[in-house]
């Protein structure tokens, strides 16, 4: 993920080849949407009208189109659903993008105050260049409807927010659970997560690429939680098995703590005997 998408595959200097590579689902460290003091962002959201997912090739072609969109940002880092162009010298100047069905989010950062009109205009122009590149990609896909690429489409400015920065620093909790589980139990668990000062990251749109998105959030999480409810036991599916395998893998490779939650839990530190091989719950009966 730390290498650009450009690779030298021929001695002919006039030719440039872009080679598709398998990218990680976890967002890289350089991909940081949180703003610092004295930094302003300008964002636009492009909505694609598709039935269930982005058309094949759209994400990859967008990456190729945006990897050199700003000459002042010579470094690039990509992951499965987006990327960031940045400069190690001017750390407050960035251009990043990410796909989150059904939207593509484009965002530029710059060293600028909220009341700096010229600075805000520069951010809009930089964002416009990104939109122009995306439009050339979208035109390749016949019948692909999109909103947000129009010249007068709305953009959003944001400045450093101390409260938002504190929220972004909260530990992340990601979970695996049966989709038909009791809503009151789910509400109780999420309330406990928030009361512990953590962020619940499990909400996301179910698409064909749901597992990649779920896995990305799992890899970024500080805690992993399995809601071992009656619905989980009785409706154990292929999807839950995939999530269980990923949780086990992340726990073994990164040491991320895993918690097994049961509405009615046995006493002691041992998880129930049929927990699909997941680690024991550290705090029985509690989310955290």
């Amino acid at each position: 993920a730390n290498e650009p998408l450009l690779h030298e595959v021929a001695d002919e200097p006039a030719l440039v080849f872009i080679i598709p590579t398998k990218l990680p689902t976890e967002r890289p460290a350089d991909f940081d949407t949180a703003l610092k003091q004295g930094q302003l962002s300008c964002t636009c959201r492009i909505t694609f009208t598709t039935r269930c997912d982005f058309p094949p090739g759209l994400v990859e072609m967008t990456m190729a189109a945006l990897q050199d969109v700003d000459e002042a940002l010579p470094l690039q880092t990509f992951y499965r659903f987006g990327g960031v162009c940045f400069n190690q010298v001017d750390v407050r100047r960035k251009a990043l993008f990410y796909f989150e069905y059904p939207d593509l989010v484009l965002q530029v950062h710059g060293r600028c105050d909220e009341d700096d009109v010229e600075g805000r205009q520069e951010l809009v122009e930089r964002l416009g260049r990104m939109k122009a590149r995306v439009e050339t990609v979208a035109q390749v896909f016949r019948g692909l409807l999109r909103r947000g690429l129009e010249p007068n489409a709305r953009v959003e400015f944001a400045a450093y927010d101390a409260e938002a920065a504190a929220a972004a620093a909260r530990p992340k909790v990601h979970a695996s659970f049966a989709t038909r589980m009791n809503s009151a139990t789910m509400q109780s668990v999420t309330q406990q997560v928030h009361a512990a000062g953590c962020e619940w990251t499990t909400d996301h749109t179910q698409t064909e690429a749901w597992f990649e998105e779920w896995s990305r959030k799992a890899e970024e999480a500080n805690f992993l939680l399995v809601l071992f409810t009656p619905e989980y036991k009785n409706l154990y599916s292929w999807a839950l098995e995939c999530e269980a395998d990923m949780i086990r893998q992340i726990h073994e490779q990164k040491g991320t703590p895993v918690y097994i939650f049961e509405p009615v839990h046995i006493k002691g530190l041992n998880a129930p005997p049929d927990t699909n091989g997941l680690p024991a719950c550290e705090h029985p009966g509690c989310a955290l």
Side-chain angles (χ1 to χ4, degrees):
N2 295 322
E3 297 294 333
L5 290 184
L6 294 181
H7 302 274
E8 183 177 350
V9 295
D11 294 332
E12 175 56 53
L15 297 177
V16 175
F17 295 85
I18 297 176
I19 309 300
T21 58
K22 185 175 181 179
L23 298 172
T25 57
E26 184 176 4
R27 285 181 175 176
D30 297 307
F31 191 99
D32 185 7
T33 58
L35 298 174
K36 302 175 178 62
Q37 286 185 314
Q39 193 176 32
L40 195 72
S41 72
C42 184
T43 306
C44 75
R45 186 175 291 270
I46 302 160
T47 301
F48 295 97
T49 304
T50 60
R51 289 186 176 181
C52 58
D53 207 345
F54 300 111
L58 177 64
V59 176
E60 294 77 10
M61 291 181 66
T62 301
M63 290 182 181
L66 294 178
Q67 53 88 22
D68 61 348
V69 69
D70 191 334
E71 294 181 355
L73 303 174
L75 302 177
Q76 312 91 18
T77 302
F78 299 90
Y79 74 107
R80 176 65 181 85
F81 300 105
V84 56
C85 302
F86 60 100
N87 189 324
Q88 290 180 322
V89 177
D90 187 359
V91 294
R92 283 181 169 79
R93 183 184 179 104
K94 284 185 177 182
L96 47 83
F97 64 96
Y98 58 93
F99 285 84
E100 193 173 64
Y101 183 82
D103 298 334
L104 163 62
V105 178
L106 304 178
Q107 188 175 98
V108 293
H109 295 181
R111 189 187 300 271
C112 178
D113 296 325
E114 283 191 84
D115 56 355
D116 184 350
V117 177
E118 293 183 358
R120 292 164 71 99
Q121 182 59 39
E122 180 188 355
L123 291 178
V124 172
E125 292 174 356
R126 288 172 54 197
L127 194 64
R129 290 194 290 271
M130 295 181 71
K131 290 169 61 177
R133 294 282 186 96
V134 174
E135 177 63 29
T136 61
V137 173
Q139 291 175 355
V140 174
F141 299 85
R142 292 186 177 182
L144 179 62
L145 302 179
R146 59 266 187 194
R147 300 191 309 272
L149 285 174
E150 304 82 9
N152 60 345
R154 180 181 178 182
V155 298
E156 297 179 358
F157 291 96
Y160 172 79
D161 185 327
E163 292 185 3
R170 292 184 301 173
K172 294 179 173 58
V173 177
H174 199 58
S176 175
F177 56 89
T179 55
R180 297 181 183 179
M181 71 172 288
N182 184 277
S183 59
T185 302
M186 172 62 77
Q187 183 178 5
S188 177
V189 170
T190 55
Q191 286 176 347
Q192 291 298 318
V193 169
H194 294 149
C198 298
E199 178 185 356
W200 178 261
T201 66
T202 309
D203 298 329
H204 58 272
T205 305
Q206 291 291 101
T207 69
E208 290 183 358
W210 68 270
F211 185 64
E212 293 179 332
E213 178 68 5
W214 187 95
S215 298
R216 176 186 69 79
K217 292 181 178 180
E219 290 173 344
E220 294 175 353
N222 302 96
F223 303 98
L224 294 170
L225 175 64
V226 178
L227 303 184
F228 199 65
T229 61
E231 296 86 358
Y232 187 100
K233 302 173 188 178
N234 298 329
L235 301 174
Y236 190 67
S237 62
W238 169 83
L240 291 175
E241 182 178 2
C242 289
E243 293 177 356
D245 289 341
M246 179 58 66
I247 288 174
R248 186 181 302 106
Q249 177 181 326
I250 293 173
H251 176 74
E252 293 174 352
Q253 295 180 354
K254 302 177 64 175
T256 303
V258 178
Y259 296 81
I260 310 296
F261 171 84
E262 248 194 331
V264 179
H265 205 291
I266 59 175
K267 295 182 179 180
L269 293 180
N270 293 324
D274 53 346
T275 54
N276 305 311
L278 291 167
C281 175
E282 299 187 24
H283 296 285
C286 298
L288 295 172

